[in-house]
């Protein structure tokens, strides 16, 4: 039987942490946890390894032969079932580990899941680095997927639960910021090894092995950080939760009163963690379940994998040397990182919803322009005839798409699900959300090259259509969570035009008048 639905309302006159100060311990601990994004980003950005000739010669010789054939269809060069299996093994492992991670983060805590994830990741990196055949390479990548699944499920929850409400969005953007730094670093290393040491038989091993550095740092430092108060209270460790609060809150905060506030809420949810996945199917959790699945699914349907593979085509048409490739990569990476910082600044000011809406329009317009440009400038067999002017326009449009994605879907996917999920289903729901992220990423990767091979420039219009659907979904079904305490998040459903039919009336632990005022003040954002 599920827990009684309880809505805890924050009273600004009390000492809860909604307007709490941002302390040095919170920042330092958040950096350690957010560095999981560096691991994930580096692994994601290492796709350049798959273009290294020694790597292809050892594991995918058929692709190497197609690359050397000047008459080969450039849209179809990387359309290989073995390469797709290697690439997708990471995401398949991520799906299963994300679903398992729900129980892991509940039983071992957010901190425990970070440590276990880091260790599994390091074993996988070691196997990949010393791989002598495709089977060993794939097995190592599967372990990396499990490690990322465990750690990436725990890290966003940790950041959301540990941060003061006022700063929750900004703190939580640390994960996607480190993710993009990881992608940027991996691309630079890959480009350097490809162009400076193109025939080095160990270049791909160095590129893959370097991902062990951030994983080692994160795993070791995680032993020295506290677990979140929410996780500790959920496991009955109330005194450790108080100690955790004392470590991260400023001296003028009454941590004992905050602890009492949290315990009151979580006691009401005591029975709820027994069958969290089953509970997610209950009617009152329908809004949370839909958003937890839809947000990561839509993130993958923006078309970012397509845009990432499009850049080299434009650079080749310009006859760019490795120095120009480095410069372009630097500019692209800088745009992405600065865009995440834009989200860090704006997310707690204008809110999550506004960022998603603006980005939806920008991505749609950019994809349509890109599709037209590709249709006009590229022949049916993928041989480019870009003029310099057209190539420059294409690179600008590519940067526009990357910027919009980075301050919206690329960032908010790691924040919104953890915010809207109630504690009793948060671990399971976040695991399911991450599993959907991996599943749709797997789907996109499996279909991207075949779609390019068959639809050519039409693929850009396909993703532009999805950007319209995503934006309409945000307009009608995504509520605003800015500045709302996690324990009061049911307010967003009770005030929403559609989702309120799934949520019963308020049952507050505090003054009903406070509930009325708080609900009224947040009605307009939904």
């Amino acid at each position: 039987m599920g827990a009684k639905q309880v809505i805890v309302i924050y009273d600004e006159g009390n000492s809860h942490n909604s307007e709490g100060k941002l302390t040095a311990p919170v920042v330092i601990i958040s950096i350690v946890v957010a560095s999981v994004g560096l691991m994930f980003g580096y692994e994601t950005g290492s796709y350049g390894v798959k273009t290294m000739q020694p790597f292809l010669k050892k594991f995918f010789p058929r692709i190497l032969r197609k690359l050397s054939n000047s008459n080969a269809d450039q849209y179809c060069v990387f359309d290989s079932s073995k390469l797709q299996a290697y690439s997708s093994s990471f995401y398949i492992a991520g799906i299963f580990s994300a679903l398992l991670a729900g129980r892991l983060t509940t039983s071992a805590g957010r901190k425990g899941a970070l440590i276990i994830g880091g260790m599994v990741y390091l074993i996988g990196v070691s196997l990949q680095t010393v791989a002598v055949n495709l089977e060993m390479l794939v097995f190592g990548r599967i372990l990396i997927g499990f490690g990322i699944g465990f750690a990436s499920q725990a890290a966003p929850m940790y950041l959301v639960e540990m941060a003061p409400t006022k700063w929750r969005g900004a703190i939580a953007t640390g994960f996607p910021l480190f993710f993009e730094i990881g992608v940027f670093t991996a691309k630079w290393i890959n480009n350097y090894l490809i162009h400076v040491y193109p025939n080095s038989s160990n270049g791909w091993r160095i590129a893959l092995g370097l991902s062990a550095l951030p994983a080692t740092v994160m795993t070791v430092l995680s032993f020295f950080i506290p677990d979140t108060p929410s996780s500790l209270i959920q496991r009955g460790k109330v005194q450790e939760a108080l100690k955790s609060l004392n470590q991260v809150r400023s001296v003028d905060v009454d941590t004992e009163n905050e602890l009492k506030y949290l315990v009151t809420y979580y006691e009401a949810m005591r029975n709820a963690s027994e069958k969290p996945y089953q509970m997610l199917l209950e009617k009152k959790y329908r809004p949370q379940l839909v958003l937890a699945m839809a947000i990561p699914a839509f993130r993958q349907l923006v078309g970012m994998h397509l845009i990432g593979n499009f850049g080299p085509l434009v650079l080749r048409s310009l006859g760019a040397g490795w120095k120009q490739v480095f410069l372009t990569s630097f500019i692209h990476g800088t745009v992405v990182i600065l865009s995440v910082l834009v989200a860090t600044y704006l997310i707690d000011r204008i809110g999550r919803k506004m960022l998603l809406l603006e980005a939806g329009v920008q991505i749609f317009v950019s994809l349509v322009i890109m599709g037209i440009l590709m249709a006009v400038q590229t022949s049916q067999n993928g041989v480019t005839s870009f003029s310099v002017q057209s190539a420059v326009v294409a690179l600008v449009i590519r940067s526009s798409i990357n910027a919009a994605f980075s301050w919206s879907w690329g960032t908010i996917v790691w924040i919104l699900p953890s915010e809207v999920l109630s504690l009793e289903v948060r671990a399971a729901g976040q695991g399911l959300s991450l599993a959907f992220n991996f599943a749709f990423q797997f789907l996109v990767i499996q279909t991207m090259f075949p779609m390019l091979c068959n639809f050519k420039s039409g693929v850009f219009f396909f993703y532009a259509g999805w950007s319209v659907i995503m934006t309409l979904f945000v307009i009608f079904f995504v509520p605003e969570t800015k500045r709302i305490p996690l324990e009061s998040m049911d307010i967003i459903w009770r005030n929403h035009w559609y989702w309120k039919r799934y949520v019963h009336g308020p049952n507050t632990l505090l003054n009903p008048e406070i509930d009325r005022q708080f609900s009224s003040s947040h009605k307009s954002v939904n």
Side-chain angles (χ1 to χ4, degrees):
M1 181 176 177
K4 182 179 179 182
Q5 185 180 9
V6 178
I7 302 164
V8 180
I9 303 301
Y10 165 64
D11 177 3
E12 293 197 15
N14 292 340
S15 59
H16 188 41
N17 72 323
S18 182
E19 300 301 319
K21 294 179 181 178
L22 192 61
T23 63
V26 167
V27 174
I28 294 170
I29 290 169
S30 298
I31 289 173
V32 172
V33 175
S35 66
V36 170
L38 196 62
M39 298 158 47
F40 198 169
Y42 189 96
E43 183 63 30
T44 302
S46 293
Y47 57 77
V49 169
K50 290 178 283 189
T51 67
M52 293 182 180
Q53 289 197 9
F55 179 82
L56 293 174
K57 183 178 180 181
K58 188 172 186 64
F59 301 110
F60 307 101
R62 182 170 174 268
I63 293 178
L64 187 61
R65 288 194 296 271
K66 286 199 291 184
L67 279 171
S68 62
N69 181 4
S70 59
N71 295 320
D73 189 335
Q74 296 301 300
Y75 278 113
C76 305
V77 166
F78 289 96
D79 187 13
S80 163
S81 58
K82 286 186 177 181
L83 181 62
Q84 288 170 358
Y86 166 68
S87 300
S88 300
S89 62
F90 169 76
Y91 302 105
I92 295 173
I95 294 170
F96 287 105
S97 63
L99 294 173
L100 293 172
R103 295 190 180 280
L104 180 64
T105 51
T106 299
S107 58
R110 300 3 174 186
K111 173 181 175 178
L114 290 172
I115 294 171
I116 293 171
M119 289 179 172
V120 174
Y121 181 92
L122 285 169
I123 296 172
V125 170
S126 300
L127 286 175
Q128 269 206 140
T129 305
V130 300
V132 295
N133 53 48
L134 183 59
E135 290 75 16
M136 191 173 179
L137 188 75
V138 170
F139 184 60
R141 190 161 171 80
I142 288 173
L143 288 181
I144 288 174
F146 269 91
I148 286 293
F150 292 146
S152 295
Q153 192 265 3
M157 281 198 302
Y158 188 109
L159 295 171
V160 164
E161 291 177 351
M162 188 63 87
T165 304
K166 178 180 178 180
W167 303 96
R168 189 175 64 229
I171 288 291
T173 60
F175 183 91
L177 177 62
F178 272 98
F179 177 89
E180 297 300 347
I181 292 173
V183 172
F184 178 79
T185 303
K187 286 182 178 179
W188 262 65
I189 291 172
N190 290 344
N191 284 334
Y192 180 81
L193 292 171
I194 289 170
H195 295 288
V196 179
Y197 301 103
N199 298 315
S200 173
S201 60
N202 291 319
W204 64 270
R205 297 186 191 275
I206 295 171
L208 295 177
L210 284 174
S211 62
L213 294 178
T216 301
V217 173
M218 187 283 296
T219 305
V220 171
L221 292 181
S222 290
F223 281 97
F224 302 98
I225 63 174
D227 208 341
T228 68
S230 300
S231 177
L232 291 166
I233 292 171
Q234 192 176 26
R235 289 179 287 141
K237 301 181 179 182
V238 178
Q239 290 305 310
E240 287 187 40
L242 179 60
K243 183 179 178 182
S244 176
L245 284 170
N246 287 330
Q247 283 183 260
V248 299
R249 296 289 179 256
S250 58
V251 293
D252 58 343
V253 172
D254 185 349
T255 52
E256 291 191 3
N257 196 27
E258 182 178 344
L259 179 70
K260 190 183 299 182
Y261 174 89
L262 292 171
V263 170
T264 302
Y265 173 75
Y266 296 134
E267 280 293 322
M269 304 294 181
R270 181 188 294 269
N271 299 325
S273 60
E274 294 177 1
K275 297 179 179 179
Y277 287 103
Q278 183 176 327
M279 288 186 65
L280 275 171
L281 300 178
E282 295 180 13
K283 181 180 178 180
K284 65 181 179 180
Y285 296 107
R286 192 75 49 77
Q288 302 177 32
L289 178 63
V290 170
L291 259 67
M293 295 187 299
I295 296 298
F298 283 143
R299 176 185 186 260
Q300 298 302 332
L301 293 171
V302 174
M304 292 309 298
H305 286 281
L306 174 67
I307 298 302
N309 282 275
F310 170 74
L313 177 64
V314 178
L315 292 174
R316 282 200 302 270
S317 74
L318 290 172
W322 71 270
K323 290 183 179 179
Q324 287 75 28
V325 171
F326 265 74
L327 178 61
T328 304
S329 177
F330 176 79
I331 294 172
H332 165 71
T334 302
V335 167
V336 169
I337 292 171
L338 290 176
S339 298
V340 178
L341 291 174
V342 168
T344 301
Y345 179 78
L346 292 177
I347 196 167
D348 289 318
R349 290 174 169 82
I350 67 173
R352 291 78 166 135
K353 188 167 183 174
M354 187 59 67
L355 288 171
L356 291 172
L357 291 175
E358 186 283 330
V361 175
Q362 184 171 330
I363 289 171
F364 170 76
V365 173
S366 299
L367 282 171
V368 169
I369 294 174
M370 189 74 85
I372 294 172
L373 198 62
M374 286 293 290
V376 172
Q377 298 289 332
T378 309
S379 64
Q380 284 300 306
N381 67 345
V383 177
T384 181
S385 56
F386 273 100
S387 65
V388 173
Q389 293 83 356
S390 297
V392 170
V393 170
L395 290 175
V396 170
I397 294 299
R398 179 175 179 244
S399 294
S400 171
I401 296 172
N402 279 297
F405 174 81
S406 298
W407 65 53
S408 60
W409 295 97
T411 294
I412 293 171
V413 70
W414 303 112
I415 302 171
L416 197 59
S418 291
E419 287 184 319
V420 301
L421 289 161
S422 303
L423 172 73
E424 64 272 22
V425 293
R426 187 174 298 151
Q430 177 65 18
L432 185 64
S433 181
L434 184 60
F436 261 72
N437 187 49
F438 279 121
F440 273 81
Q441 199 161 6
F442 167 75
L443 178 66
V444 168
I445 288 173
Q446 286 291 97
T447 59
M448 182 179 65
F449 288 117
M451 285 179 69
L452 269 173
C453 192
N454 290 283
F455 300 153
K456 316 300 182 185
S457 59
V459 176
F460 291 93
F461 299 105
F462 171 80
Y463 286 115
W466 273 109
S467 70
V468 174
I469 295 172
M470 293 155 53
T471 304
L472 290 174
F473 179 84
V474 172
I475 291 173
F476 293 109
F477 298 110
V478 176
E480 183 57 70
T481 59
K482 178 185 69 174
R483 298 278 182 105
I484 302 178
L486 295 179
E487 297 78 24
S488 301
M489 201 58 75
D490 272 10
I491 287 173
I492 66 176
W493 312 121
R494 290 188 290 117
N495 289 334
H496 193 274
W497 73 273
Y498 180 78
W499 297 125
K500 64 183 179 182
R501 70 191 66 187
Y502 295 98
V503 182
H504 300 298
N507 180 16
T508 62
L509 295 177
L510 297 181
N511 193 316
E513 180 62 21
I514 297 173
D515 173 32
R516 185 189 66 77
Q517 293 175 359
F518 196 92
S519 298
S520 177
S521 66
H522 285 81
K523 211 167 204 175
S524 61
V525 300
N526 297 323

